[in-house]
Amino acid sequence: MPSNPRVELLNLGDELLLGIRENSHLAHIGRELARHGLHLQRNVCFNDAPEDIRRFFKESWEQSDIVITTGGLGPTSDDNTREAVAEVLGRKLIYSDEIEQAIRARFERLGRTVTPNNLKQCYLPEGAEILPNPNGTAPGIWLKINDKCLAMLPGPSNEMIPMLSDQVIPRLCSEGHCRLDEAYLQIRTMGIGESALENLLMPIFDKHEGLGVAYCAHQGMVDVRLSRGKGDYSRCAIQHIAKECRETLGADFVCYGDDSIAKVIFDHLRADEKTLAVAESCTGGLLSNAFTDIPGASKVFSGGIVCYNNDAKMELLGVPECIIAQHGAVSAETAVAMATGAAERLSTDYALSVTGFAGPSGGTAENPVGTIYIGYHAPCGTWCVRMVYPGERSTVKVRAVMRALDVMRRKLNKYKVEDALQALATGG
Amino acid sequence: MPSNPRVELLNLGDELLLGIRENSHLAHIGRELARHGLHLQRNVCFNDAPEDIRRFFKESWEQSDIVITTGGLGPTSDDNTREAVAEVLGRKLIYSDEIEQAIRARFERLGRTVTPNNLKQCYLPEGAEILPNPNGTAPGIWLKINDKCLAMLPGPSNEMIPMLSDQVIPRLCSEGHCRLDEAYLQIRTMGIGESALENLLMPIFDKHEGLGVAYCAHQGMVDVRLSRGKGDYSRCAIQHIAKECRETLGADFVCYGDDSIAKVIFDHLRADEKTLAVAESCTGGLLSNAFTDIPGASKVFSGGIVCYNNDAKMELLGVPECIIAQHGAVSAETAVAMATGAAERLSTDYALSVTGFAGPSGGTAENPVGTIYIGYHAPCGTWCVRMVYPGERSTVKVRAVMRALDVMRRKLNKYKVEDALQALATGG
């Protein structure tokens, strides 16, 4: 078993090459492997033609220690992965009664009839282990030949993702290829660019030779991943260094790990037993969604209002007509009135609002397309932040949501409710 | 120039392999090529190490007619694509004063200073053409050697995307590799699985030998793409076949092309000058977002209400307390009351609602985790549909949204408002 195994990922399916769907498998599998200390070296996507599968699988298999494939295990005529891989490996395909039973049981449960097509999925290369699929019909396949490992996973994400975490990673660990514990400690930041962050933290890292440091920018955030590196730093030493980074970062520090900013806000409010509402126009439901993606969101999040016209802002949020008439629907005044209105209507302690022009049309000379106002209502006051984002509609929506969340995160940290109440009580 | 050229896409950069970011380049470039009749055969992602670039570029270049690369053209020390590719091609790198001038002009405009790093970007393989980059410093590179074409594009999407459309596709067309017009006709379906669809349409396709047919399943929908194939069918003949498919599909036919279901509903309501509101609990804003992703959404979509607790359902939507008390927040009665309440509060003609248990906790014996009720309010009546989706929270949310949209699409097609009004008027 090599100490630094070469890992390649093969994604099969024309739909990736035709641009029908993003290759979310690459991002997910790359991240999960990295988390356990395995570095994906290459990813190849190609279509289902048997000669291509044979050729590209053979190449990867010969040069790698671990090969993971996704897709092409389905019941249709263009699902050829099983056959082509078995051929390259020189293994016969064996019919598995166990798989047939699982498929029949699943179909019975769903009230569907098994077709001859479906029984294609009952074949396995000789010597392979079945990776049961609780979420679909196609089982995964695990095969170890000499020191090499092959994991063949089904294409649908809801089937592939749990199979990777629950069955493949543990097998790779027990083969000694990776560790079950986290391979790095991640510091999540927002509000500072990648190169500025590198400059800011360099004096800290310069003191620790051989420390593994990687920067990863995404959606306005930059993550710093600290790993044992060549210096072979202990977990405790890395935590100590991370703490120093946190102090240096100040308000740009979001969290350790990979919580979303919405989750950081949720945890803060949950600890204080406070509640939150959201009002949005141009972000159209995405801001609410950021909170409702958190399991148990309802303990903090009471609801959101997507008001896509002025009547809705007045009727649902009680934004005064005169404010919209004088300042416009995209203005600081309307943003604050929306936040306060949401807090009142939903009886919450906090509220966050977004109004703006996401484009492609709309906008005024003063507030061009891409202008966003964020309103924030807290027990200790209300605030508004304005920004202008270039880019197309969906990009503007995502950026506005990220920024709104970050505005709230910073205000929450800066103005503690207790301090504000204390100040009120003492007339300070 | 080959009639069916082999095209490969190489994406450089460790961040793709570490799972920090989705490989959006693949989806975009694959879609754009397919639209113009070029079929991407393979995509390879690998990191910036010069030996890997040389090896994998060489392999692709030898076996392909067209190679497109993205990334690795930047100014930093890990941007090695230019050098490695020139080496494989046996071409010297030539300094371009034209690029230097463009970089200096850009930096001056932005008030930044040119560093020696930036001037790395002035080198081009001998014989290459510059693809000017209006959105960044790294120019693209176009090189034709014998009958092979190489396009090297910068990594940032906002630079790569216009360069592909405005400079690369037209060059590929003028080389005779593709057409500027659309290469296939797509039929979008929902409500029928991929293999059932294949069985349903097979009798039609069997009559047309050599017709190009591809199936693409994604998010509950299955697309069928018809192209001229080996039979070299005319556009008109393909339209005729597509029409036959549409008739066979019945209510499972969504649209020709790639509109979302929300867009199909939007177009329907827009044509009738009707309006829509949305009320949702467990989908948490995603249903609203499906409509607000459409530019000009406000012409139909008035707003949405995300009510994450019972008080919000009563306060914002007027759901009677007795309904929630007797039937529960996750029930047919509450779903319908939410839809009707949303239509009333937002004064719209139509409303769509979703309530359910997205998990991981919640649920009852009668309505386990994954149970979703969809409520639909129309001028001609109200309906409710119940379903149970297995899977994790985010999957359940997405499925519930897709299904809610499809329920509305089907009802809209089935019960025409005019028919209903006619029936009312005549007491039928």
Side-chain angles (χ1 to χ4, degrees), chain A residues 54-77:
Chain A
R54 283 192 295 265
R55 178 165 158 212
F56 298 126
F57 171 72
K58 186 164 186 282
E59 182 188 324
S60 275
W61 183 248
E62 282 173 357
Q63 74 191 10
S64 307
D65 303 299
I66 300 165
V67 174
I68 300 173
T69 71
T70 70
L73 299 179
T76 63
S77 58

Side-chain angles (χ1 to χ4, degrees), chain A residues 21 55 63 292 304 306 393, chain B residues 55 63 217 292 304 306 393:
Chain A
R21 154 179 350 148
R55 178 165 158 212
Q63 74 191 10
T292 60
V306 183
R393 187 177 177 89
Chain B
R55 177 166 161 212
Q63 73 191 12
T292 61
V306 183
R393 187 177 177 89

Side-chain angles (χ1 to χ4, degrees), chain A residues 27-38:
Chain A
H28 180 81
I29 294 175
R31 193 166 47 233
E32 284 304 299
L33 293 176
R35 176 172 292 167
H36 295 285
L38 273 174

Side-chain angles (χ1 to χ4, degrees), chain B residues 92-365:
Chain B
K92 276 190 298 192
L93 284 172
I94 309 283
Y95 194 85
S96 159
D97 294 322
E98 188 184 338
I99 300 177
E100 185 184 330
Q101 277 163 27
I103 292 178
R104 290 200 183 278
R106 183 179 172 82
F107 273 57
E108 201 167 307
R109 221 164 40 240
L110 298 172
R112 285 164 54 194
T113 317
V114 176
T115 67
N117 275 356
N118 296 116
L119 296 181
K120 251 183 79 167
Q121 300 179 308
C122 299
Y123 286 93
L124 279 179
E126 198 170 9
E129 273 179 67
I130 301 167
L131 303 175
N133 184 351
N135 305 302
T137 50
I141 294 171
W142 170 267
L143 186 56
K144 208 188 141 196
I145 300 186
N146 301 327
D147 273 339
K148 297 191 180 209
C149 298
L150 168 65
M152 298 173 65
L153 307 179
S157 294
N158 64 322
E159 303 175 25
M160 183 278 287
I161 289 173
M163 202 179 280
L164 179 78
S165 311
D166 302 342
Q167 304 190 61
V168 177
I169 301 269
R171 274 179 173 80
L172 291 173
C173 288
S174 71
E175 293 294 332
H177 285 310
C178 58
R179 292 187 271 267
L180 278 172
D181 63 338
E182 296 272 321
Y184 56 79
L185 195 156
Q186 180 166 291
I187 302 166
R188 178 151 280 182
T189 75
M190 177 142 183
I192 181 166
E194 189 173 343
S195 56
L197 182 64
E198 208 174 327
N199 287 334
L200 181 70
L201 298 182
M202 202 178 292
I204 299 176
F205 300 144
D206 279 348
K207 292 186 291 180
H208 304 283
E209 212 187 314
L211 180 75
V213 179
Y215 294 89
C216 327
H218 53 118
Q219 289 202 327
M221 302 190 289
V222 185
D223 295 335
V224 191
R225 290 181 176 180
L226 305 183
S227 58
R228 50 179 66 217
K230 285 172 191 150
D232 208 21
Y233 287 84
S234 70
R235 188 82 192 161
C236 178
I238 292 174
Q239 280 167 345
H240 202 80
I241 299 166
K243 200 163 158 251
E244 201 180 337
C245 295
R246 177 181 182 158
E247 281 157 14
T248 305
L249 281 161
D252 292 336
F253 172 88
V254 174
C255 62
Y256 295 125
D258 55 6
D259 279 348
S260 67
I261 296 185
K263 179 66 165 54
V264 170
I265 293 172
F266 172 87
D267 288 341
H268 192 128
L269 298 188
R270 180 97 180 95
D272 286 353
E273 296 188 336
K274 300 294 179 195
T275 54
L276 172 70
V278 151
E280 49 190 321
S281 67
C282 63
T283 49
L286 276 187
L287 186 59
S288 281
N289 192 53
F291 289 105
T292 61
D293 267 346
I294 303 165
S298 62
K299 294 195 180 72
V300 163
F301 184 74
S302 299
I305 294 164
V306 183
C307 31
Y308 231 60
N309 60 33
N310 293 344
D311 286 348
K313 289 184 183 75
M314 295 185 282
E315 165 70 22
L316 294 176
L317 292 168
V319 176
E321 190 169 4
C322 61
I323 283 194
I324 297 179
Q326 187 187 347
H327 301 285
V330 177
S331 64
E333 291 78 2
T334 298
V336 166
M338 285 168 67
T340 303
E344 268 177 19
R345 290 293 165 98
L346 282 151
S347 311
T348 59
D349 306 296
Y350 290 84
L352 190 57
S353 72
V354 181
T355 179
F357 296 116
S361 59
T364 62

Side-chain angles (χ1 to χ4, degrees), chain A residues 348-415:
Chain A
T348 59
D349 305 296
Y350 291 84
L352 190 57
S353 72
V354 181
T355 180
F357 296 116
S361 59
T364 62
E366 200 185 335
N367 291 315
V369 166
T371 302
I372 303 293
Y373 286 91
I374 293 164
Y376 173 61
H377 171 97
C380 51
T382 58
W383 283 268
C384 181
V385 174
R386 175 188 189 268
M387 70 227 44
V388 182
Y389 287 122
E392 49 132 34
R393 187 177 177 89
S394 58
T395 313
V396 172
K397 286 174 76 169
V398 170
R399 286 192 175 186
V401 167
M402 288 301 295
R403 184 63 185 273
L405 293 168
D406 200 47
V407 163
M408 174 153 186
R409 179 187 71 79
R410 284 168 193 269
K411 296 287 184 204
L412 266 182
N413 284 335
K414 194 166 175 185
Y415 303 97

